[in-house]
Amino acid sequence: GVVTATKLPYPPQTDPEQRAWGLKADRSGRYLIGDFGSRALVRIDRAAGTMTALPLPAPLGSFAVAGGTIHTLTADGGVHRIDLRTGERTASKRVTRRFDPEGEAPTPQIAAGSAGNIAISDPARGRIHVLRARSLKRTATIRVPGSPQRLIIVGGPAH
């Protein structure tokens, strides 16, 4: 086969040091979402050939993409739901204590599943918080030994 590539310009007012490092694709493959400096995400729309910066209210801790939505966890302990197509922040809720994403201590992380839930690790308290992705309503808090950090949600809804 033949490999082709298209270079996309960074969004206007991009700092020369600002780059997208880690990219995650939505299920359709149309959008790529990446960290974009400490206080933004970048959305690449492959069909439109555009790259858009999505500012965040606080430094980025981690993010997940599922079901047409981006969920971010920011250093102020907030979880934010962002519409994948519009880039608009549609909901926010504080879930954990403030943390330093660049620090040496284990930091909270977020994971999204296909069944409409997100999970947030809370290593400082030894907990995992489970929220409905759509409403950000907490449905469970699970106490675990140690300091949980990295999470992955496997499985999906029953068929």
Side-chain angles (χ1 to χ4, degrees):
V2 176
V3 176
T4 60
T6 303
K7 182 179 179 180
L8 298 176
Y10 276 108
Q13 281 109 42
T14 297
D15 184 292
E17 300 300 317
Q18 199 172 15
R19 295 287 179 262
W21 296 104
L23 295 172
K24 297 178 183 180
D26 76 314
R27 190 174 194 153
S28 74
R30 175 177 177 163
Y31 298 100
L32 298 173
I33 306 300
D35 53 327
F36 196 54
S38 65
R39 293 186 70 104
L41 294 173
V42 66
R43 181 190 62 214
I44 298 169
D45 182 334
R46 295 178 59 230
T50 58
M51 188 181 298
T52 307
L54 307 174
L56 298 172
L60 176 64
S62 65
F63 68 96
V65 181
T69 305
I70 308 162
H71 285 91
T72 65
L73 176 63
T74 52
D76 60 357
V79 172
H80 311 280
R81 188 180 67 230
I82 300 170
D83 184 280
L84 184 59
R85 288 163 205 73
T86 66
E88 178 185 340
R89 189 164 23 119
T90 58
S92 296
K93 180 178 189 170
R94 185 159 180 208
V95 177
T96 70
R97 295 176 181 166
R98 293 181 179 277
F99 62 93
D100 179 2
E102 302 297 323
E104 292 185 23
T107 59
Q109 300 289 312
I110 191 168
S114 60
N117 292 313
I118 58 174
I120 298 95
S121 63
D122 191 346
R125 293 180 172 165
R127 298 176 184 170
I128 297 171
H129 307 284
V130 181
L131 284 69
R132 293 263 183 246
R134 189 166 177 82
S135 66
L136 300 185
K137 179 182 177 187
R138 190 181 320 238
T139 59
T141 297
I142 305 163
R143 293 181 191 275
V144 296
S147 300
Q149 186 176 8
R150 303 274 186 223
L151 298 172
I152 186 167
I153 298 175
V154 295
H159 296 286

